[in-house]
Amino acid sequence: MDAADWDERYAQTELVWGAPPNSTVVEHVYGLERRTPGRPAGPEGEPPEFPRALDLACGEGRNTLWLATHGWQVHAIDYSQVGIDKGRTVASRLSRSVRGRITWQCADVTDLDAAGITGPFELVLMVFLHLPAEQRRAVVRRAADLLAPEGTLLVLGHDTTNLTDGFGGPQDPGILFTPDDIVADLDPAAAAHRIRIRIADRVFRPTETRDAIDALVIATRPTD
């Protein structure tokens, strides 16, 4: 699907994915340190600035909005202008302090340099962003490059086995992936990438019919 297809899909209903954030995102992000790692309080004890998060392919912003309400400064990017506008509309109902922590941008996540995304970020989300393998690898590696020291990359999507053993999701095997695929994309053994894999596993997500199967990889950038 291209941007026009997603614009049409997002325009057909109020919220395609609903308002609550993804439960796997909440489970693994909730416990993260919400202050910028390594940045102490100021001379008069004022708290450090909010930690920075990048939400790639944010859609209508359900994870972005949750992050912002939980103390993150979020840059939300998606190539659907309709999705971005809907996220901004929902954010307008929140307090000024919360919505002021969100930057919305309509741009192509496969070319973050052209979008002016430079980082660093304490958290990068790549949630249900499905691309052909070569494009996916480039985005995953660029996302890892944007991490601050001690930063976390969370990649979550429909697992390849969801086609035969799960439920819903894209039916094109060319854009699905496994945890091992993402680990290979990150190539943690390469010194230049400096990335540590914390979790690489399948997640079973309840649906109205039967469990869907998601692939989850969580990686961090070491400080040394």
Side-chain angles (χ1 to χ4, degrees), residues 36-220:
T36 307
R39 187 169 302 177
E44 298 182 6
E46 68 271 16
E49 67 176 326
F50 294 107
R52 299 150 295 188
L54 176 64
D55 188 0
L56 297 172
C58 66
E60 299 159 307
R62 61 179 182 148
N63 295 317
T64 288
L65 295 164
W66 180 82
L67 288 170
T69 59
H70 286 78
W72 294 83
Q73 184 86 29
V74 190
H75 195 126
I77 179 172
D78 197 282
Y79 70 173
S80 169
Q81 186 65 60
V82 174
I84 290 290
D85 290 344
K86 290 173 74 174
R88 188 180 283 114
T89 296
V90 176
S92 70
R93 305 166 190 161
L94 304 176
S95 69
R96 180 178 299 179
S97 61
V98 170
R99 64 177 183 265
R101 292 199 285 270
I102 305 173
T103 298
W104 301 96
Q105 183 178 4
C106 183
D108 185 353
V109 299
T110 66
D111 194 349
L112 294 176
D113 292 335
I117 307 297
T118 58
F121 296 94
E122 281 69 53
L123 173 67
V124 177
L125 294 185
M126 181 175 159
V127 178
F128 296 109
L129 170 58
H130 287 274
L131 300 165
E134 186 174 344
Q135 279 188 310
R136 183 195 69 231
R137 184 175 302 111
V139 173
V140 167
R141 290 185 178 179
R142 184 66 185 119
D145 289 342
L146 291 170
L147 289 176
E150 300 181 37
T152 297
L153 170 65
L154 187 153
V155 180
L156 178 70
H158 301 284
D159 190 86
T160 300
T161 61
N162 192 59
L163 272 179
T164 54
D165 303 322
F167 178 77
Q171 299 300 295
D172 177 1
I175 61 172
L176 302 180
F177 54 82
T178 67
D180 287 345
D181 291 333
I182 302 300
V183 171
D185 290 346
L186 288 167
D187 192 11
H193 295 155
R194 298 186 65 250
I195 200 77
R196 180 179 297 135
I197 305 299
R198 286 183 45 226
I199 295 174
D201 207 353
R202 290 187 169 96
V203 175
F204 292 85
R205 173 170 44 87
T207 74
E208 65 274 14
T209 301
R210 62 181 184 274
D211 285 353
I213 307 172
D214 296 334
L216 171 68
V217 173
I218 299 177
T220 57

